[in-house]
């Protein structure tokens, strides 16, 4: 199960993505749910680093040995680009949760 926790507190955004989806049905199959979650987190990171370069936010990312990632982002003055980025990524995770409820859970 991939667990996604998202919290927004004013100009601070916190996102944690942990666990493996476990969708893989056999050795020949790929875990498409894990691949989709990884694509979302990689897109988030690339976008956040671009926004950080433009001084729109500060970014702190922790990656644990088990593959889990924890993001702490401080937005400058309710930066709309940061809010839109998290809205888009969370919409992706909601689609995954709706399509694969046994493999992705948002808290």
């Amino acid at each position: 199960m991939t667990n996604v926790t998202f919290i927004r507190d004013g100009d601070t955004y916190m996102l944690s993505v942990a666990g493996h989806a476990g969708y893989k049905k056999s050795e020949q199959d790929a875990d498409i749910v894990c691949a989709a979650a990884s694509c979302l987190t990689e897109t988030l990171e690339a976008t956040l680093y671009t926004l950080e370069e433009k001084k729109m936010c500060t970014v702190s990312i922790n990656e644990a040995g088990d593959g889990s990632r924890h993001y702490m982002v401080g937005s400058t003055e309710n930066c709309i680009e940061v809010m839109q980025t998290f809205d888009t990524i969370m919409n992706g995770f909601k689609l995954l949760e709706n399509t694969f409820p046994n493999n992705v859970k948002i808290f």
Side-chain angles (χ1 to χ4, degrees), residues 16-30:
S16 177
V17 181
H20 292 283
Y23 179 79
K24 188 174 176 177
K25 303 293 183 193
S26 72
E27 285 302 313
Q28 292 78 25
D29 291 337

Side-chain angles (χ1 to χ4, degrees), residues 20-78:
H20 292 283
Y23 179 79
K24 188 174 176 177
K25 303 293 183 193
S26 72
E27 285 302 313
Q28 292 78 25
D29 291 337
D31 192 334
I32 60 171
V33 180
C34 263
S38 293
C39 185
L40 287 168
T41 59
E42 293 293 328
T43 300
L44 176 63
E45 283 184 33
T47 304
L48 290 175
Y49 284 137
T50 298
L51 293 174
E52 186 175 46
E53 286 175 5
K54 295 178 180 180
K55 309 288 188 220
M56 295 178 164
C57 65
T58 58
V59 179
S60 174
I61 302 171
N62 255 332
E63 185 171 354
D66 62 357
S68 63
R69 292 182 178 166
H70 309 281
Y71 303 84
M72 174 83 71
V73 178
S75 175
T76 57
E77 301 175 16
N78 279 323

Side-chain angles (χ1 to χ4, degrees), residues 1-4 20-23 25 31-34 92-107:
M1 175 73 70
T2 297
N3 296 307
V4 180
H20 292 283
Y23 179 79
K25 303 293 183 193
D31 192 334
I32 60 171
V33 180
C34 263
F93 278 116
K94 287 174 190 170
L95 287 168
L96 279 177
E97 180 183 46
N98 289 338
T99 305
F100 302 99
N102 295 324
N103 306 95
V104 177
K105 178 72 176 161
I106 298 174
F107 295 92

